[in-house]
Amino acid sequence: MILLLIALLQVKAPDAAQFVGAPHGVALQGAALERRTMEVASLLRCPVCQGMSVADSPSTVALDMKAQVRELLARGYTEEQILSYFERSYGEFVLLKPKFRGVNALVWVLPLLALLIGVVLVSMKLRKLELVDGD
Amino acid sequence: MPFAIGTWLACAAFFSFLIAGPANPFLTIANPPPDGPGPNPLLQNHLLMIIHPPMLYLGYVGMTIPFGFACAALLRGRLGHSFLRPLRASLLLPWIFLTVAIMLGGWWAYEVLGWGGYWAWDPVENASLLPWLTATAALHSAIVLERRGVLKGWTVTLVQATFLLTILGTFMTRSGVFNSVHSFTQSSIGPTILAFLAAALLFSVVLLALRIDSLESDGRIESAASREGMFLVNNLLFLILTFTVLIGTVFPLVAEAINGKQMSVGRPYFDAMVVPIGTALLFLIGVGPALPWGRGTREEILRATLPPLATGVVVAAIGYAVGVRNGWTIVTLLFGGYAAHVTLKEMWLPVARSGTSALRRGRRRFGSYVVHAGAVVVLIAIAVSSTTRTSREVRFSRGDSASIGAYTVTFLGAEDRAEPHRQSTIARFAVTKNGRAVTTLAPRMNQYATMREPIGTPDVHSTLAGDLYLSILNVDVAQQRVALHLIVTPMVMWIWIAALVMGLGGLLALIPVRRTSVILTQSAAKGKDLEMADSFGMTS
Amino acid sequence: MNRPVLFIGTAIAAALIAVLFVGLGNDPQQIRSPMIGRPAPAFALKEVGTGQTLDLQALRDTPTIINFWATWCMPCYQEHPVLIDNARLFGSKVQFVGVVFNDDEASIQKFLRERGSAFPTLLDQQGKTAIAYGVGGVPETFFLDRQGIIVAKFSGPMTTDVLQANLEKAIR
């Protein structure tokens, strides 16, 4: 049975192209590639660590993920494409910076809303305290 | 006072119950875990691990005392000087512990975790920061309360929030609900602590609602463009910061409760949100103390606030000249220089006016400015160290060299060492700086019998200008090969030093000034309050 | 009684407690995979020992178990006999495939010589296959039905009970 299944074929690992299409960006190399690799890897969560990013973690899976990021950037994939490639297999969990989308938009909006309300409240309080003065 | 003691005893009773019942440490475990003996490997490696937890514990538990005073003030419906002084002192002491503990935690992470950073916005790191933020806000609003007799209800709210956040932090650490670097403290007491948190929240809210109106102000503020106006802005910013960190930390739970999807809120989020607020607070450290109390003329205000700008520009220009390019870091340097100028001037003025005796009499004020000076340096050091660090990953065979910044690192060889609890592989590197031998660093890779992945221990060469940090990614003793992460981070040491300075400043402000030399403000003269407090030995 | 303080305070407190209470029911260590219900990413990888290539496409029409593991992973030692026993038990009805993650061929062959083998073991270079499947730590096991759809995933070492319970979903 097993022998039947094994054919002499080209080794082919799953590739990002199957899932996110052709690269949309410019192929990077040299120092720019290294810098972008660290930048993009710092947006990905290492799945076996505790909240550490792929850029920071020395664990084996994080090193592989970082190598994958480097390869994809070198082939011209954009940050967005790379992030959605990882999101596809690991879920939203892998994105350290939540996308402004659906429920997750709240995490960006709520602090700003709080700031707005706070500014209004503080200026009202200040006016009230100044008014007590009688002028 | 009986109300305060009652509150403390209620808290003590709960935690005694916890130890006696749900979290009884003397029970035998039905299925002893394979890693039973000794703490988690990450906790075995460093001296700081002995100091950091008790300090944090003192900070956390200590916040129960001001909470007791705040509740007592509400129950009595009065917040006079007799309560304000012990409230302030009992808030400041745990604040000092918490300040130092947070710094020690960051230092430990830096020395042990191997990624070259000190703060990852981990849920439990955030849990330690949250009460620190509200306590700092409360220390500031208490000053306005003391000076102007306003913000009574507000100050009490902040003190209550601080205590509640320590309980929330305890829940975060011990419940196992959060994915955290502190997961090694999980246990099954989550529901019990949550019930206590709910009860304490309910108690605080109802008490506030019932009594806050009886506390309301007998004072006033003359102008928004005054020091007291800036204190209000300060409080707003600290509160927004607290809210942002809290939302970011618990949001994965919120999202999962709503749409059932697991998501993460990590460093990129917190950096984006917190950096602008932190920078604005740095601006206030400068502008606040420069503004006069009460109503100043336009000219007075300009005269006080404009000259330090020159210092700020100079500091920012120096930063630019040595290669700082990040926009936020430049702004931090500008505001930092400004704040440093104002702080030093405020520290120096009383001395210039009446000699060193001013330091003894104005110790509390002087201490506060020492804290500010420390905070300015911490913020600058954080901005500079996180935006100007350089890192490389290099594969070495024995004898290979690699350079990073002014340093050259040469791989001398790797060896295995067996210890009873672990197998270590130690790689040795000779370090030279501008051609001169500096030191030898020996980062390790440790394999513990109980862990799935090996754990690295980095080695660091620290100087005031910056650190060289070596962390092993992969090592092969047979082939004498190693893959190494090299990081050069400027100014890291300043964070540890300046945070200690903040703690020392707090201590200076805490040590009571002898009664005869206290300049009594108007509200302090309310005799009855003073007598009562004296009879409990609460005043100095 | 200050009503705004009461209402706002109660609202904040209730929201916080509710979220934390719901959170108590979750295990943050158990990350649910978005891959469940999707076609398994295709791969053709080299088999350890024979050097031949196995293409996942060829396994269509047979329920398949893909087990990601490594020789440096302690729980994988525990799990290995469970996999071998079940592979022999199910014979040709279910295809077992091991994918070794981040390892070298020599250690794998030594491991298999010492502990036996009953199904093909494939070599994943640079963890590309593991990443496409969303593998975090090893061991992790994916259960594929006859159409090649991932119907279940298990993280950590499996017992026979766990394996057979998940397999039922794949056979159905």
Side-chain angles (χ1 to χ4, degrees):
Chain A
M1 169 88 188
I2 291 168
L3 285 175
L4 280 178
L5 298 172
I6 298 173
L8 279 169
L9 289 165
Q10 187 100 42
V11 169
K12 192 164 78 29
D15 189 82
Q18 294 166 244
F19 310 109
V20 292
H24 291 168
V26 199
L28 298 177
Q29 54 182 336
L33 175 63
E34 283 313 301
R35 191 173 47 80
R36 285 295 291 155
T37 302
M38 290 310 272
E39 281 171 12
V40 175
S42 72
L43 298 175
L44 291 169
R45 179 174 191 153
C46 157
V48 288
C49 320
Q50 308 295 351
M52 220 185 257
S53 79
V54 164
D56 294 329
S57 166
S59 75
T60 39
V61 66
L63 294 178
D64 281 344
M65 286 168 82
K66 194 161 34 175
Q68 181 85 78
V69 168
R70 186 179 289 119
E71 188 204 307
L72 292 176
L73 284 168
R75 280 161 58 188
Y77 281 94
T78 62
E79 176 181 309
E80 211 189 323
Q81 282 182 302
I82 295 172
L83 293 184
S84 48
Y85 173 57
F86 282 98
E87 190 191 341
R88 195 187 172 284
S89 48
Y90 289 93
E92 273 177 0
F93 181 79
V94 82
L95 305 178
L96 282 173
K97 191 176 186 173
K99 286 189 178 164
F100 193 91
R101 177 180 72 190
V103 181
N104 296 356
L106 279 180
V107 78
W108 295 101
V109 172
L110 285 178
L112 295 178
L113 203 67
L115 181 65
L116 220 67
I117 296 172
V119 168
V120 171
L121 285 180
V122 165
S123 44
M124 271 166 56
K125 179 82 179 169
L126 270 172
R127 189 161 309 153
K128 202 172 119 202
L129 288 171
E130 281 182 297
L131 277 181
V132 181
D133 195 19
D135 60 8
Chain B
M1 207 57 193
F3 293 132
I5 294 173
T7 314
W8 299 328
L9 286 179
C11 296
F14 168 74
F15 283 99
S16 308
F17 158 75
L18 206 58
I19 288 290
N24 187 342
F26 299 112
L27 289 180
T28 48
I29 305 173
N31 302 304
D35 58 350
N40 180 297
L42 281 175
L43 305 181
Q44 297 175 8
N45 280 342
H46 209 278
L47 188 68
L48 285 171
M49 251 308 115
I50 304 173
I51 317 169
H52 160 70
M55 288 293 249
L56 195 74
Y57 180 79
L58 286 172
Y60 255 51
V61 174
M63 292 301 178
T64 318
I65 306 298
F67 177 68
F69 283 121
C71 292
L74 282 169
L75 285 163
R76 278 181 10 143
R78 240 178 330 143
L79 181 57
H81 232 67
S82 63
F83 263 67
L84 190 55
R85 299 171 108 264
L87 180 68
R88 207 189 126 268
S90 63
L91 191 60
L92 187 51
L93 187 61
W95 180 90
I96 295 168
F97 285 125
L98 208 49
T99 307
V100 175
I102 292 171
M103 176 274 282
L104 289 174
W107 196 4
W108 167 80
Y110 181 73
E111 297 279 340
V112 169
L113 293 186
W115 59 279
Y118 38 81
W119 192 264
W121 296 105
D122 178 90
V124 171
E125 287 172 359
N126 297 351
S128 71
L129 185 65
L130 288 168
W132 186 89
L133 292 172
T134 49
T136 311
L139 285 169
H140 285 94
S141 76
I143 296 173
V144 187
L145 166 52
E146 193 177 8
R147 283 275 185 158
R148 287 286 180 261
V150 297
L151 300 186
K152 286 182 179 170
W154 177 240
T155 306
V156 168
T157 311
L158 284 175
V159 173
Q160 286 190 327
T162 304
F163 168 76
L164 294 167
L165 286 171
T166 63
I167 302 298
L168 176 69
T170 310
F171 174 81
M172 284 171 150
T173 318
R174 301 300 304 272
S175 66
V177 165
F178 292 86
N179 218 328
S180 151
V181 73
H182 287 71
S183 299
F184 33 70
T185 53
Q186 276 176 39
S187 59
S188 56
I189 58 175
T192 322
I193 297 180
L194 187 60
F196 180 65
L197 178 63
L201 262 168
L202 192 69
F203 171 74
S204 304
V205 167
V206 170
L207 190 59
L208 263 182
L210 283 173
R211 309 293 279 189
I212 196 167
D213 292 328
S214 62
L215 282 185
E216 255 335 300
S217 42
D218 44 7
R220 62 202 158 78
I221 283 179
E222 287 157 40
S223 161
S226 63
R227 204 177 290 190
E228 47 272 48
M230 289 304 112
F231 274 110
L232 257 91
V233 180
N234 150 304
N235 267 230
L236 172 65
L237 289 178
F238 268 110
L239 209 67
I240 296 298
L241 197 51
T242 310
F243 181 75
T244 307
V245 175
L246 183 62
I247 280 288
T249 310
V250 301
F251 198 79
L253 295 183
V254 177
E256 196 173 348
I258 296 175
N259 66 9
K261 281 188 191 157
Q262 288 163 311
M263 54 88 71
S264 304
V265 180
R267 211 164 85 209
Y269 168 84
F270 288 103
D271 284 351
M273 300 300 268
V274 168
V275 167
I277 308 175
T279 315
L281 278 169
L282 181 59
F283 178 69
L284 280 188
I285 297 182
V287 169
L291 285 172
W293 288 98
R295 182 184 296 279
T297 63
R298 193 185 165 76
E299 210 170 302
E300 266 176 353
I301 292 174
L302 288 181
R303 205 165 344 113
T305 51
L306 281 186
L309 201 56
T311 314
V313 171
V314 169
V315 172
I318 292 173
Y320 191 84
V322 300
V324 176
R325 289 296 177 273
N326 179 286
W328 281 109
T329 308
I330 300 272
V331 175
T332 304
L333 289 172
L334 177 72
F335 290 171
Y338 188 101
H341 181 127
V342 172
T343 307
L344 293 176
K345 188 178 147 206
E346 292 292 324
M347 281 160 88
W348 173 247
L349 268 185
V351 182
R353 229 180 271 137
S354 46
T356 48
S357 69
L359 286 187
R360 205 174 58 245
R361 271 186 287 121
R363 190 157 41 195
R364 185 177 141 194
R365 185 177 170 284
F366 187 77
S368 318
Y369 284 114
V370 173
V371 176
H372 273 195
V376 169
V377 175
V378 167
L379 288 172
I380 290 180
I382 289 174
V384 170
S385 65
S386 57
T387 56
T388 64
R389 78 175 209 163
T390 44
S391 77
R392 284 183 74 182
E393 287 173 21
V394 182
R395 286 173 194 286
F396 292 87
S397 294
R398 200 209 301 247
D400 287 354
S401 293
S403 296
I404 181 164
Y407 295 100
T408 303
V409 174
T410 310
F411 180 39
L412 302 176
E415 73 205 28
D416 281 322
R417 183 183 295 173
E419 289 170 65
H421 59 308
R422 64 180 183 192
Q423 285 281 336
S424 289
T425 307
I426 305 171
R428 291 184 196 287
F429 295 88
V431 178
T432 60
K433 188 177 187 180
N434 300 321
R436 288 229 317 274
V438 190
T439 183
T440 307
L441 291 179
R444 317 160 146 236
M445 203 60 146
N446 310 305
Q447 181 74 58
Y448 291 83
T450 54
M451 300 289 283
R452 273 163 74 173
E453 297 237 352
I455 293 171
T457 304
D459 202 2
V460 191
H461 172 62
S462 297
T463 69
L464 283 177
D467 288 8
L468 172 68
Y469 190 102
L470 302 185
S471 178
I472 296 180
L473 296 169
N474 209 313
V475 62
D476 184 345
V477 175
Q479 309 273 330
Q480 288 293 317
R481 280 205 197 118
V482 62
L484 190 73
H485 198 183
L486 302 90
I487 308 171
V488 167
T489 320
M491 280 191 85
V492 185
M493 249 176 112
W494 289 95
I495 302 174
W496 328 136
I497 296 171
L500 275 180
V501 169
M502 287 174 77
L504 281 178
L507 273 182
L508 276 178
L510 184 70
I511 298 168
V513 188
R514 221 176 296 138
R515 168 48 68 75
T516 47
S517 55
V518 176
I519 304 151
L520 294 175
T521 52
Q522 330 145 320
S523 51
K526 287 176 184 165
K528 205 177 158 205
D529 272 0
L530 270 180
E531 275 165 40
M532 260 194 71
D534 274 344
S535 62
F536 288 106
M538 294 312 299
T539 49
S540 40
Chain C
M1 173 68 79
N2 187 321
R3 281 179 186 279
V5 169
L6 184 68
F7 290 144
I8 296 173
T10 312
I12 294 174
L16 185 65
I17 297 294
V19 164
L20 296 180
F21 184 76
V22 173
L24 273 178
N26 303 333
D27 178 3
Q29 306 296 333
Q30 207 63 41
I31 313 300
R32 286 188 300 278
S33 172
M35 299 301 290
I36 291 167
R38 293 220 200 111
F43 59 75
L45 297 176
K46 203 174 84 164
E47 192 191 348
V48 176
T50 66
Q52 287 174 309
T53 304
L54 187 147
D55 191 335
L56 187 66
Q57 295 289 340
L59 300 179
R60 276 286 169 85
D61 304 327
T62 313
T64 306
I65 293 180
I66 304 178
N67 175 252
F68 287 88
W69 64 284
T71 60
W72 44 262
C73 140
M74 292 296 165
C76 299
Y77 284 73
Q78 240 181 68
E79 191 183 51
H80 193 67
V82 175
L83 287 167
I84 289 193
D85 290 350
N86 281 285
R88 291 195 175 125
L89 179 68
F90 287 100
S92 61
K93 288 204 288 288
V94 175
Q95 180 62 49
F96 284 64
V97 177
V99 178
V100 191
F101 165 70
N102 228 299
D103 218 326
D104 62 282
E105 221 168 325
S107 329
I108 302 167
Q109 281 182 343
K110 182 162 168 277
F111 182 101
L112 295 177
R113 250 196 331 271
E114 285 168 8
R115 290 160 197 276
S117 75
F119 50 86
T121 300
L122 312 179
L123 199 59
D124 182 22
Q125 308 276 5
Q126 291 116 39
K128 280 186 178 177
T129 310
I131 289 173
Y133 276 76
V135 170
V138 274
E140 279 188 21
T141 311
F142 292 82
F143 297 83
L144 279 55
D145 68 8
R146 287 190 177 78
Q147 285 74 46
I149 307 286
I150 297 173
V151 290
K153 172 190 175 180
F154 188 82
S155 300
M158 287 186 299
T159 59
T160 292
D161 288 346
V162 169
L163 188 148
Q164 293 183 357
N166 281 301
L167 191 55
E168 247 168 54
K169 299 179 206 166
I171 291 174
R172 214 167 15 204

